Amino acid sequence: MSDARKPFPFREFEPQWQQRWESEKTFRTPGPGDPDFDPTKPKYYVLDMFPYPSGSGLHVGHPEGYTATDIIGRYKRMNGFNVLHPMGYDAFGLPAEEHARKTGEHPAINTANNIANFRRQLKSLGFAYDWDREIATTDPEYVRWTQWIFLQLYNSYFCEETNRAKPVSELAAKGWTREQIDEVRFAYVANTPVWWSPDLGTVLANEEVEEWKSKGHTVERRPLRQWMLRITKYAQRLIDELDTLDWPDGIKMLQKNWIGRSEGAEVDFDVQGHKVTVFTTRPDTLFGATYMVLAPEHPFVPEITTAEQKDIVGSYQKSCSSKSDMDRGDLNKDKSGVFTGAYAINPVNNEQIPIWIADYVMMGYGTGAIMAVPAHDERDFEFANRFNLPIVQVVIPSDLPAGYGVLMPLKTAFCDHGIAIHSPPHGWGLKDPKGERYCLNELSTAEAKAKMIDWLESNAKGKRRIQYKLRDWLFSRQRYWGEPFPIVWKDGHHHAISDSELPLLAPPLDDYKPSGTPEPLLSKATDWVNRPDGSTHETNTMPQWAGSCWYYLRYCDPGNTSRFISKEAEAYWSSSNQPSTINHQPSGMVDLYVGGTEHAVLHLLYARFWHKALFDLGHVTTPEPFQKLVNQGLILGEDGQKMSKSRGNVVNPDDVVKEYGADALRLYEMFMGPLEQVKPWQMKGVEGVSRFLARVWRVACEEQTDGFYQISPKIREVPCTDKELLRVVHETLKKVGEDIEKLSFNTAISQMMICTNAFTQADVVPLKEFTQFLTVLNPFAPHLAEEINARVAAVFNRPAHLLSETTWPVYNPEALIRSEIEFIIQVNGKLRDRLMISKDADEATATAAGLASAKVKEHTDGKTIRKIVFVPGKLLNIVAG
RNA sequence: GGCGGCUUGGCGGAAUUGGUAGACGCGCUCGACUCAAAAUCGAGUUCUAACGAGUGUGGGUUCGAGUCCCACAGCCGCUACCA
């Protein structure tokens, strides 16, 4: 730092305050069971997305959200809430294991070092966390309860009648066999094609594939035995209950799209005596289905393929399985496919349609088979044109003139809703004389869909079906650094281990290198794998998401050794007392959750799923985990690009703290712009807020000799006689409080700047008002505010209360009142004059004053006044022409 | 291709939800202090010489539009053959 800048001694007092808060446990939060817990106090739970403790330390993006929640937490505390504001570490993860591979060192060591560094950095920013509640997902005591929750899922199933999870013991009591029960457990084993990465030595979830591919790892598709979680059972509730949450619409939309509900029908086609079922969202277009397409992996393909087509079908299937590894994202690739030689019978008109296989139909969605309606589906249209398949139009736009009967050759598929025609094709405008219920002609798409589904169901040719894009959650990994499954195998069956054996921890390994086979790393530990009773441990581990699915629950009762959270703690921290912006009873436990958009889908969906299961099973009392969600915007580099090591535009929070102090970093991150907006870093902006803090310092403190300060003689214990100053102070008390509630921190800070400028210019700074100002500054810049307050208190012999423990000052509405205001005079909507008049001036007074203005006359001369609009206390608009 | 978000001075951003566009900060200019510089303090700063114009573009509603409606464009995210 250049010595030129006039500083304030933040390097001395910031660490001192941090030490004091720590040693006095200023921000410790008493909970149920603690002797000092007051159950009558309302709770407020404000949560940060806990970080993955990477080797590179905190990024400036982290303190953005953390400062926002810190301000809210401190503010709510000062308003009488019992605030839960905890921090922890999502500490399992591939990077620590990669490190272990290279060094041979146990990943726990590297993880502990990284956590220590994160903790040091977080503490250097003065956050008001209750450090007694700090947790890491890798702590054995934490792992115990992650595994315990897994067992709750393992031991329950989704009851379709009640639409909720229930214990499988209820099924056993009804006489279900073990095999039947294993079919319905939330946690189940399946042999499914998964993404396997040989060099990482693990299977990846669909959503992780791109990330690791972009880091240069290879990924291939392989069928493997994996643990899955039946999240799809909750698809509908995960959509419906979004309505009970105060989340940004964009995030709700992302989750809905990810779950991907579509309504339609299953239709059965007869193929040489076999039934092939397709899923369609457009059953109304069944008369336009001119061919069928199966996914290349569809199990019926070998059965139905004719002898002549066998070779070509086989080689196409082969090319697809290798192609899917490479560029399946390649959009512009032409449609490909081959004819199987087989035909299916369209159930509505008994016509034969050819069956093809093509890689644009995927096994993983719907039934892996489609009826192709080229006239009304773009992909089918493109395919039909490529392979000269017939195109039959059965829907026309509803805005075509009545009686329009000639079909134009289609240039593109018509995919919108419209009016059904040729269904069946007895000519335009005619109804089928034989069976009216079977004629869709002239019906709107919605009506035609409903009618067709009725027909399918009453003729046993198909049924209504709701389809989701969401797949079951691939929950096993072949890594070392994750929670082992609390499962053992005996005689080919899986069993839960008893709760008393938890936590089940992985033994240290001689080396952490992947074997190159899909065999999990833990299988190397043969002593551990084989149990004395002849059973073997499951060697897969859980994904990193597991720990982050429930950490917000553990914060409520982190030391509990007999339950994952006590009933009392759960009940208290779930109690709802916050006003909601939605028209619903709040349903979430955490009042405010702040974090980045990158978790919009996966983490937030997985955590909701676990929470709902725990809710159904009676372990928690709210149906949702997070009531209000706010996404902080990305902080870009000074060049407007995303911060990255390769671009060299990364800002390290440590450097900023060293040069400008923690308060300046906190304040700058809040002053940059709205929390949710993407915004670029500007070091000059940090200097700006640092100057502001120095100005606040100088209102109170005058430098004597180098490094020694004395309270400014301007500060006096006198009533505030300066009406204007008093008004600015009370406007600040009002606006800062309101802005914090709205999370509009940048405007709160600008108001505090205005207030500081007023103090700087005042000859006398009244102690009471200045202290009130420091109190509202405190959540933003707690070190500086406490330091000045302590110094001032000492000089005036006042008790040295921490500002953090005082109550939020209430503004006096009377201090805000101005007797005269600037009144705007417009002519035809354009500003022409400003007059000082009484705030309460009535229309007649204002009109007279306005018309008397010389500036107004210039613009109304020679015109007739047609109308005068009067807005009390604001303006007058004279309409002249 | 689909969905979502954004667009206001040289820059980051304000604007009571239809009522003074540009608060606050950065940068810049000038002045004070200083031998000088830095720091600090003070004044100014949308564009234009001016009339005027002005919130991505074009239209509309209104006494009045950054704000509401219609059309379009440009950036940024996420997602992707989902039947």
Side-chain angles (χ1 to χ4, degrees), chain A residues 485-553:
Chain A
F485 281 73
I487 294 286
V488 293
W489 290 82
K490 193 169 188 182
D491 307 327
H493 286 285
H494 45 74
H495 304 266
I497 65 172
S498 75
D499 287 359
S500 61
E501 281 193 69
L502 301 179
L504 176 67
L505 301 177
L509 300 182
D510 296 333
D511 75 82
Y512 299 89
K513 293 192 182 65
S515 58
T517 70
E519 198 57 23
L521 262 180
L522 271 179
S523 59
K524 289 182 168 188
T526 46
D527 289 351
W528 177 82
V529 173
N530 295 304
R531 289 161 62 97
D533 66 356
S535 65
T536 58
H537 276 293
E538 167 66 49
T539 50
N540 279 294
T541 54
M542 298 186 200
Q544 196 180 350
W545 306 111
S548 59
C549 270
W550 72 283
Y551 72 113
Y552 59 94
L553 291 167

Side-chain angles (χ1 to χ4, degrees), chain A residues 273-335:
Chain A
H274 297 289
K275 190 172 85 175
V276 176
T277 306
V278 303
F279 173 72
T280 177
T281 54
R282 293 295 299 273
D284 61 300
T285 61
L286 211 35
F287 286 95
T290 53
Y291 61 105
M292 177 186 276
V293 187
L294 305 183
E297 318 91 293
H298 196 284
F300 270 179
V301 174
E303 256 178 87
I304 62 168
T305 304
T306 58
E308 312 83 84
Q309 297 299 102
K310 225 154 210 130
D311 291 349
I312 186 161
V313 165
S315 65
Y316 182 75
Q317 284 178 312
K318 216 170 161 192
S319 79
C320 289
S321 62
S322 62
K323 205 192 309 182
S324 61
D325 284 348
M326 295 164 50
D327 304 282
R328 60 184 196 123
D330 189 1
L331 303 177
N332 297 327
K333 77 178 176 197
D334 287 334
K335 291 269 179 298

Side-chain angles (χ1 to χ4, degrees), chain A residues 5 13 27 57 60 120 222 366 380 388 442 495 506 535 542 602 708 711 738 743 747 789:
Chain A
R5 192 185 318 125
F13 68 70
F27 300 107
V60 287
R120 173 192 64 76
R222 282 209 191 185
D380 297 346
N388 273 318
E442 293 186 19
H495 304 266
S535 65
M542 298 186 200
L602 302 177
F708 283 90
I711 294 302
E738 288 171 353
L743 309 187
T747 52
N789 183 58

Side-chain angles (χ1 to χ4, degrees), chain A residues 6 45 215 227 235 285 292 294 339 411 440 442 806 819 869:
Chain A
K6 188 85 175 183
Y45 190 173
K215 289 180 185 168
W227 283 92
T285 61
M292 177 186 276
L294 305 183
F339 179 44
K411 290 217 172 62
L440 307 180
E442 293 186 19
T806 59
S819 52
V869 182

Side-chain angles (χ1 to χ4, degrees), chain A residues 803-819:
Chain A
L803 285 175
S804 310
E805 291 177 338
T806 59
T807 52
W808 190 259
V810 182
Y811 71 90
N812 176 6
E814 292 195 357
L816 303 179
I817 295 168
R818 313 165 108 126
S819 52

Side-chain angles (χ1 to χ4, degrees), chain A residues 824-834 847 849-869 875-881:
Chain A
I824 298 308
I825 313 294
Q826 297 180 333
V827 176
N828 294 332
K830 287 198 165 70
L831 175 74
R832 294 305 179 193
D833 203 0
R834 308 153 196 261
T847 306
L851 291 175
S853 156
K855 288 177 189 163
V856 168
K857 281 187 179 142
E858 272 176 45
H859 292 92
T860 51
D861 256 5
K863 293 177 179 167
T864 42
I865 291 167
R866 297 184 195 282
K867 188 172 177 182
I868 293 178
V869 182
L875 59 74
L876 192 72
N877 187 15
I878 300 164
V879 185

